[in-house]
Amino acid sequence: MRALLGRDRFAQGRHRPGLSERGISEALSELLGRFRYPVTYVLLSCVCLVGMTLRRDPHPLGWGSSAILALTLPLERMVALPVREVRDLWHEYVDLVGVRERNEILAARVHRLEEENLRFREAMVSVERLQRLTGFRDRRDLPMVAANVVGRDLSAWFRSVIIDQGETAGIRPGMAVITDAGVVGVVSGTTRGAAKILSIVDPQSRVDAYIQRSRAGGMVRGASSDEVYFDYALREEDVRIGDRLLTSGLGAVYPKGILVGQVSRVESQPYGLFQKVFVEPAVDLGKLEQVFVILEKRDLPDPEEFAAPDENLFTGFTDAVAEAPADISVAAEPPPGGTMR
Amino acid sequence: MIPLVRLAGLGLVSLLAQVLLAELPRSLRPDLVLVFALGMGLLGRPLVGLWLAFGFGFAMDVLSGSPLGLFALLRGTACALTRLLDRALFLRGSIPWAVYVAAWVTLDTLLMAGVLHVFTRASAPGSEQILALLPARVPLTALLAVPLLPVFLRFGSKAERDGLLPSLSPHGPRSRP
């Protein structure tokens, strides 16, 4: 304890004059000097606690974080690149056992998918025609920017990735990140040249989604493992293994209809409101190399604007009552001893 | 200044080694930044060690998806407690050091699960996940920490010769020449 508090100086036989001989400021500075280790620890801990509590929403990273990223990312890429190259070399040239059989299976699957594709194209033509008729605009023409994954999460607890595009490419915190396979996550922090992505498997992630087949709604929740949970699926909802989950478009991040994953397990219990649904994400985050950031931040409607039609309706109604003939306003009051009809 | 640069370099090497280890499955991933923070508690310059432990914890925060400050707080606390317990537990021997690191990895895992529970409520890892992470991570981190101990002690030895580090001898700290 003496070592921590810096009291070893007592043992070194220094002469310390009494408080009465010194000014208060001198005494204070000496006191701080003596306890500077615990004081520094407490101050730094307070800064960390405040940082953890205040900045939980997606936000641009500060100068300190930007400097650390700017310093470490090139080094990180330099260190990680040979490892990934060796891993790719192994997977692409050495580890080819069973490739012939897999090739045959895939060829048969391609044939089947081509037939399916033909049918879908027909359906799409019909849908397009209907959309034109109803004046519906296709919202999938979203502006996107491609980015490479340059860093993975160092800890065993969180599941974020770092990409090589940032604010200069128009990326802002809160934007959705996808690949051709499905949802990756949301931009949680940005610097000028890089951005941090909170993936859907991170324990801090939540995505509102629904099951494509049965339209059952719920929320996909990350759990720091390779699987994610589909929460709030009612027990009576029809959920089966292999069902595809799509984003619902509710909330301010993801557009509607992007694939989140497939149901891998369902644990229905005889009690409780909800069933436990496990989902395998559509995107393999361990092999993620390139992503697309949707450069459109979906803002929720302003509460005042949102309330305006109702307010108008209400004021319109009160105006109408005020301007109404006397017999109607009298009729609006309940008759004595009875209920108003 | 030069020892500080050397120590910062050592921290950077631990961080980059952690980048390499990030390719391993999560249950097999030792925590070298934690070992670095614990090693900073053994230094003859306690404040430098504390700042570096917080600093590299913060770097870990930036490079991972944690709430900003979480790893800094945990690594700083690890450093401060190591300084407190250094003499009491004879941490400068290989075996006590390895056991201490193993205990810290376990404690760190439990602390992290607790903090995640506070921050993310339902998504905090359950006992199954914690138990799955521990068996390989704890011995691997402890094993990697053993060869790093002489490095930390070497960095601290110059300061110890200068009388800035509390001595391990039972007669108390040596006085300045």
Side-chain angles (χ1 to χ4, degrees):
Chain A
M1 182 58 92
R2 287 177 64 185
L4 185 71
L5 297 177
R7 287 178 187 168
D8 288 340
R9 288 178 188 181
F10 282 117
Q12 293 172 4
R14 283 189 183 178
H15 171 67
R16 292 181 180 277
L19 189 62
S20 58
E21 299 171 23
R22 300 169 300 184
I24 292 175
S25 61
E26 194 187 337
L28 264 178
S29 65
E30 194 166 336
L31 196 70
L32 279 177
R34 194 189 300 171
F35 293 108
R36 64 185 170 180
Y37 192 85
V39 167
T40 310
Y41 171 73
V42 170
L43 283 178
L44 288 173
S45 301
C46 288
V47 170
C48 292
L49 283 171
V50 169
M52 283 161 63
T53 316
L54 291 184
R55 307 301 296 269
R56 291 177 64 180
D57 295 331
H59 58 275
L61 297 174
W63 63 268
S65 309
S66 303
I68 288 173
L69 273 182
L71 176 72
T72 52
L73 271 185
L75 292 171
E76 191 183 325
R77 211 182 299 183
M78 211 165 65
V79 169
L81 195 67
V83 176
R84 284 180 197 148
E85 288 295 325
V86 169
R87 195 184 57 190
D88 291 347
L89 198 72
W90 175 266
H91 285 307
E92 287 166 17
Y93 295 101
V94 184
D95 187 21
L96 296 175
V97 180
V99 165
R100 184 185 292 270
E101 289 167 26
R102 210 180 306 160
N103 198 21
E104 284 168 9
I105 294 168
L106 288 174
R109 198 171 162 190
V110 165
H111 184 65
R112 202 173 58 244
L113 287 173
E114 273 174 356
E115 284 175 11
E116 227 171 67
N117 197 12
L118 203 65
R119 275 188 282 129
F120 283 141
R121 270 189 204 163
E122 285 298 313
M124 202 187 284
V125 169
S126 310
V127 169
E128 274 174 11
R129 198 177 61 242
L130 284 171
Q131 281 178 354
R132 270 200 304 275
L133 283 173
T134 54
F136 179 78
R137 283 187 305 168
D138 188 9
R139 295 292 297 151
R140 279 306 172 79
D141 293 334
L142 296 166
M144 293 186 200
V145 63
N148 294 310
V149 174
V150 290
R152 289 176 205 282
D153 206 305
L154 299 190
S155 74
W157 295 99
F158 301 97
R159 304 296 295 272
S160 66
V161 291
I162 297 169
I163 57 172
D164 63 352
Q165 298 285 353
E167 285 164 7
T168 46
I171 296 173
R172 298 285 178 273
M175 288 178 170
V177 184
I178 60 172
T179 67
D180 52 340
V183 175
V184 174
V186 59
V187 177
S188 64
T190 51
T191 66
R192 286 181 63 78
K196 193 153 73 168
I197 313 298
L198 184 80
S199 73
I200 57 165
V201 295
D202 191 283
Q204 300 163 89
S205 166
R206 304 284 186 276
V207 183
D208 203 281
Y210 66 95
I211 291 175
Q212 190 181 29
R213 186 181 54 80
S214 65
R215 320 305 282 181
M219 188 174 284
V220 173
R221 171 170 62 89
S224 196
S225 63
D226 292 332
E227 275 182 327
V228 293
Y229 300 119
F230 183 55
D231 285 345
Y232 309 120
L234 290 169
R235 199 148 54 88
E236 57 267 25
E237 295 279 13
D238 180 17
V239 184
R240 295 180 202 159
I241 293 172
D243 276 350
R244 289 151 61 95
L245 268 82
L246 307 179
T247 52
S248 69
L250 300 175
V253 179
Y254 303 100
K256 187 177 178 179
I258 302 176
L259 184 64
V260 178
Q262 282 193 329
V263 174
S264 57
R265 263 190 301 157
V266 182
E267 285 177 13
S268 197
Q269 289 153 335
Y271 52 85
L273 279 176
F274 308 110
Q275 47 192 323
K276 206 169 183 181
V277 182
F278 298 83
V279 177
E280 188 185 346
V283 177
D284 185 352
L285 289 155
K287 293 175 183 167
L288 198 61
E289 287 179 3
Q290 199 174 42
V291 296
F292 296 97
V293 182
I294 299 176
L295 295 177
E296 190 184 65
K297 203 171 167 189
R298 303 175 71 237
D299 293 323
L300 287 173
D302 186 13
E304 287 180 12
E305 282 177 26
F306 199 68
D310 290 344
E311 281 171 13
N312 289 339
L313 194 69
F314 182 69
T315 49
F317 174 73
T318 48
D319 290 348
V321 169
E323 289 167 8
D327 56 335
I328 296 178
S329 61
V330 169
E333 289 176 9
T339 53
M340 190 174 72
R341 286 174 189 268
Chain B
M1 190 64 188
I2 288 173
L4 181 64
V5 173
R6 278 185 194 166
L7 286 170
L10 184 65
L12 198 59
V13 169
S14 332
L15 202 66
L16 291 176
Q18 194 69 45
V19 171
L20 282 180
L21 295 170
E23 299 289 329
L24 289 174
R26 291 186 310 139
S27 56
L28 294 175
R29 207 181 292 172
D31 196 337
L32 284 181
V33 181
L34 175 63
V35 175
F36 173 76
L38 294 172
M40 290 300 99
L42 301 175
L43 285 190
R45 297 180 171 196
L47 273 178
V48 171
L50 188 68
W51 276 100
L52 284 171
F54 268 101
F56 278 95
F58 182 71
M60 189 90 177
D61 277 321
V62 173
L63 294 171
S64 76
S66 63
L68 221 55
L70 172 60
F71 277 109
L73 180 63
L74 290 178
R75 299 300 170 259
T77 305
C79 172
L81 277 176
T82 305
R83 176 154 175 78
L84 187 70
L85 300 171
D86 179 12
R87 282 194 288 176
L89 299 179
F90 303 103
L91 294 181
R92 284 145 199 258
S94 296
I95 293 173
W97 171 247
V99 173
Y100 179 72
V101 171
W104 247 109
V105 177
T106 312
L107 183 65
D108 191 69
T109 307
L110 297 175
L111 280 174
M112 189 64 81
V115 173
L116 274 179
H117 181 72
V118 171
F119 268 80
T120 62
R121 298 284 172 195
S123 292
S127 52
E128 284 174 21
Q129 273 178 279
I130 294 172
L131 288 175
L133 276 179
L134 282 178
R137 265 167 65 87
V138 171
L140 275 176
T141 311
L143 277 176
L144 278 175
V146 172
L148 285 172
L149 177 64
V151 181
F152 296 128
L153 293 181
R154 194 177 155 200
F155 277 116
S157 62
K158 186 178 179 304
E160 193 170 11
R161 275 200 303 277
D162 294 342
L164 293 170
L165 190 72
S167 169
L168 291 174
S169 79
H171 305 295
R174 280 178 283 179
S175 57
R176 285 170 189 268

